Amino acid sequence: MITPELKHVKLVVANDDKRHVIRRLHELGELHIATTEPHDGFSEDTSLDEAQRVSDLLLSYEYIQRVTGATLQTSIDTLPSYNKTVEEAEQFIETHLPELQELEEDREHHDSRAQSYEEQLRILEDLPDSFNDLAQPIIFTAPNHISLEHDHHVKQGGKHYYALTSQGITKAQQTKAFLEDNTTTRVDLSYVSETIQEAKTKLQENIAYHQEERDDRSLELQAKGKALQPKLKYTHTVLKAHHDELTLPNKFQSNDDLTLIEAYCEPGIVDDVATEIPEITILETTPEEAPTKLKENGFNKSFQTITSMFDTPKYGAFDPTSYVTFFYPLFFGFMLSDIGYGLLTLLAAYLVKQRFDNSDHYVNILSVSAISTIIFGIIFGSFFGELIPIEPLWTEQFEASFDILIVSLIIGLIHMNLAVFTDLYQRLAQQQTLTTIIKHVAPFIIVQTSVIALYYQQVIAGVTGLITATALLTWRDGFIGILGLSDYLGTLFSYARLLALSLATAGIALAVNLIAQQLSTIPLIGSLIYATTLIFGHTFNYAVNLLGTTINAARLHYVEFFDLFFQGGGTPFNAFQLP
Amino acid sequence: MADITTGLIAIGAGVAIGFAGLGSGLGQGIASSAAAGATAEDETLLAKMLVFAALPETQVIYGFVIAIILLFVFGA
């Protein structure tokens, strides 16, 4: 449907009533608050200084949340007074923050020391074990054997290790020679003041000490977070609500007496605002551009997610979600087309619902798509391939691939026609000029008619139609319009992916079943291998094709369908709500 | 003679889908890596980038259509 017409309203409010009006607008929940354009005699609202004070407090709360792991959000029934909340919050932060900061700094110090010692220990553990008893050695590594004077040599893990342990001048000379050889790398052992083994033991003790200290601090922080939790999350939520209310005027214009708020709403809401909030003076206009209000319900609302992922329809354009609600599950089911995989998708939908909050939209999409998959599984007689034999309602994919290709292309043609006629309806609703409508809608219709004419051997009519369509496309798109005819053909053939993915699903399922069948003849463990192959094979096939199906069902909408009519670039309508 | 014809049709179908798949794969690799980079910068671009990544896939579908026509129309 065409997105609904909205009114642009300017709300004039006395400054003393501003807080009250904002709260009433929130309760009404029907207005999209826009950034108010500059007006003579008004300037940007100056409540922001106060908002900064609350922002700072919120940052402190978020710091506490990060270091203690406490939860910040809760629900509140009533919003306590602003002054009282801010004073309490400041006192809370003043009391608890310094102690928590000290604990966190201490925890970070021990963590960083433990990590540093771990790194040193890792270097020592990489050295050959035979070097463990060497005291204060200088160690070099080299990729190849070298003939420089040294005291110990070990080849380990494809590298050559050389240890220099002599005392005095010999050691200095050996070291110089090794440093001059550019194939060698010196191992940093500046922290080793005894034997390697002793250094390792000391490092292990240090690591244990710092890890223990770090864990103690973490536990202390968690305990403090737990103790502060009730107060912490309540005050944070209240502060956040006040903050959102304070930063809202960022969008307003105000002077010493009045505040000007610009908003969009449906025509019927204007009277409600006037009745419900008598403190407001309303100036109403009909805008040319406005946010797009989408009015989907039930399952449609779930499929809105798919449209919105692509773009928001522009104001006054057609919202294609009702089409997506029908065609997305149709394409999904056609491409996955297996009763078993459909049941797995239903199970997945159930698990998503159990596991994730606010997942209703995804669950709805998955459930409807799963039912469609089961229906197509029945049509093609596929239940985990042919693992569970059932009689196809129509035919198996491999038996009548060409017929299924024709059906795929017919579905594509219906889809494309729906798009073109929707484009016609949309442009008529937008009162576009006849020339524009002809340029956009006529070519596709003429091409189809011409193809039908050619099929019935009306060559002159057919060729004339194709030339006319090409001329219209060139008029519309310039020189590139010459490619328009092949573009239509390409779009139509793209729907062959319905068959392609359906065949891929059935083909891999068939292969898995055949492999499992062959392996089942192995004596003793045949049954076990048969079951394992089936489980892994079908899981793989399901995962790969679920991904392909999800993407390709979306792609057929985004690329082939929307390209013919969709007018995007809209701004979503966000009904004003305080938290 | 009939066997040679069947064989040539099978080879033709294989070549059609094989080379189309190769081209699509190369194109999709290039497009997808760019799309992944763009999505990492701005995740709201996911759907649009999905379109770009999926565009070269159409070419293999053309190859697939040719292969099906070869096998089921000329091979029948």
Side-chain angles (χ1 to χ4, degrees), chain A residues 151-409:
Chain A
D151 302 307
H152 303 272
H153 167 240
V154 174
K155 187 184 178 195
Q156 180 176 295
K159 266 202 289 191
H160 293 265
Y161 290 82
Y162 300 91
L164 317 179
T165 53
S166 310
Q167 295 302 310
I169 191 84
T170 310
K171 192 174 190 178
Q173 283 169 345
Q174 286 176 345
T175 307
K176 185 168 178 285
F178 269 90
L179 286 172
E180 282 170 355
D181 186 322
N182 55 16
T183 64
T184 63
T185 308
R186 184 171 176 171
V187 180
D188 178 17
L189 298 176
S190 54
Y191 48 90
V192 178
S193 56
E194 55 284 280
T195 66
I196 300 278
Q197 184 56 51
E198 283 165 350
K200 278 187 191 174
T201 311
K202 201 169 154 188
L203 284 171
Q204 280 161 348
E205 285 168 5
N206 281 338
I207 291 167
Y209 167 74
H210 285 291
Q211 283 180 338
E212 196 178 325
E213 288 294 311
R214 178 197 63 193
D215 294 345
D216 284 351
R217 298 300 165 276
S218 295
L219 287 174
E220 275 182 67
L221 281 164
Q222 279 172 19
K224 289 204 179 294
K226 208 170 173 184
L228 296 174
Q229 175 101 311
K231 186 75 180 165
L232 190 71
K233 64 181 182 184
Y234 174 77
T235 321
H236 177 267
T237 305
V238 172
L239 267 182
K240 185 86 174 61
H242 280 303
H243 181 260
D244 288 354
E245 207 167 314
L246 283 166
T247 50
L248 186 69
N250 197 8
K251 293 182 166 185
F252 303 161
Q253 293 276 312
S254 64
N255 59 23
D256 290 343
D257 305 313
L258 298 171
T259 294
L260 198 57
I261 302 170
E262 287 193 29
Y264 294 92
C265 62
E266 287 192 65
I269 302 298
V270 181
D271 291 340
D272 291 351
V273 175
T275 317
E276 297 279 328
I277 317 175
E279 296 88 344
I280 290 179
T281 304
I282 302 177
L283 307 168
E284 174 192 331
T285 55
T286 303
E288 285 192 7
E289 284 298 325
T292 308
K293 188 167 188 184
L294 303 170
K295 301 189 77 173
E296 308 296 347
N297 299 310
F299 273 124
N300 269 7
K301 202 169 178 62
S302 299
F303 283 87
Q304 185 72 64
T305 317
I306 296 174
T307 310
S308 300
M309 267 179 73
F310 183 72
D311 205 351
T312 304
K314 80 169 191 183
Y315 176 65
F318 190 89
D319 175 16
T321 302
S322 45
Y323 295 158
V324 178
T325 307
F326 178 77
F327 280 101
Y328 187 89
L330 179 82
F331 294 160
F332 187 100
F334 201 127
M335 289 188 275
L336 204 54
S337 59
D338 186 284
I339 300 171
Y341 296 159
L343 291 172
L344 283 178
T345 311
L346 267 185
L347 178 68
Y350 173 75
L351 293 176
V352 169
K353 190 173 175 61
Q354 295 295 315
R355 177 72 182 79
F356 299 103
D357 296 331
N358 305 320
S359 59
D360 287 357
H361 292 326
Y362 298 104
V363 170
N364 285 343
I365 294 171
L366 266 181
S367 306
V368 179
S369 302
I371 291 166
S372 170
T373 306
I374 293 171
I375 292 170
F376 277 98
I378 294 169
I379 291 172
F380 295 134
S382 182
F383 201 138
F384 290 116
E386 290 172 342
L387 185 65
I388 300 171
I390 60 161
E391 196 61 33
L393 200 61
W394 175 30
T395 177
E396 287 179 9
Q397 287 103 321
F398 290 105
E399 278 183 9
S401 297
F402 192 71
D403 294 341
I404 302 173
L405 175 68
I406 300 297
V407 171
S408 303
L409 297 183

Side-chain angles (χ1 to χ4, degrees), chain A residues 24 30 39 42 65 69 76 84 111 120 143 177 233 272 278 339 345 353 363 370 432 475 504 532 555 573:
Chain A
R24 294 290 294 126
E30 294 284 0
H39 282 71
F42 287 86
Q65 188 261 342
I76 48 171
K84 187 166 171 275
D111 189 44
Q120 291 175 0
K233 64 181 182 184
D272 291 351
I339 300 171
T345 311
K353 190 173 175 61
V363 170
Q432 293 191 4
W475 184 23
T532 312
R555 177 235 149 91
F573 181 98

Side-chain angles (χ1 to χ4, degrees), chain A residues 306 309-311 398-402 405 409 486 489-491 493-497 499-501 503 551-552 554-555 558-560, chain B residues 17 28 43-62 64-66 68-73:
Chain A
I306 296 174
M309 267 179 73
F310 183 72
D311 205 351
F398 290 105
E399 278 183 9
S401 297
F402 192 71
L405 175 68
L409 297 183
S486 63
L489 195 66
T491 304
F493 278 129
S494 192
Y495 286 86
R497 75 187 63 237
L499 165 67
L501 270 94
L503 274 182
I551 291 174
N552 278 287
R555 177 235 149 91
Y558 294 158
V559 182
E560 277 75 18
Chain B
I17 199 139
Q28 206 156 20
E43 62 183 35
T44 60
L45 292 173
L46 175 65
K48 282 180 182 158
M49 290 304 113
L50 192 69
V51 169
F52 285 120
L55 271 179
E57 202 181 71
T58 307
Q59 320 320 321
V60 76
I61 298 294
Y62 298 156
F64 171 75
V65 170
I66 299 295
I68 289 282
I69 290 171
L70 279 174
L71 291 173
F72 288 89
V73 178

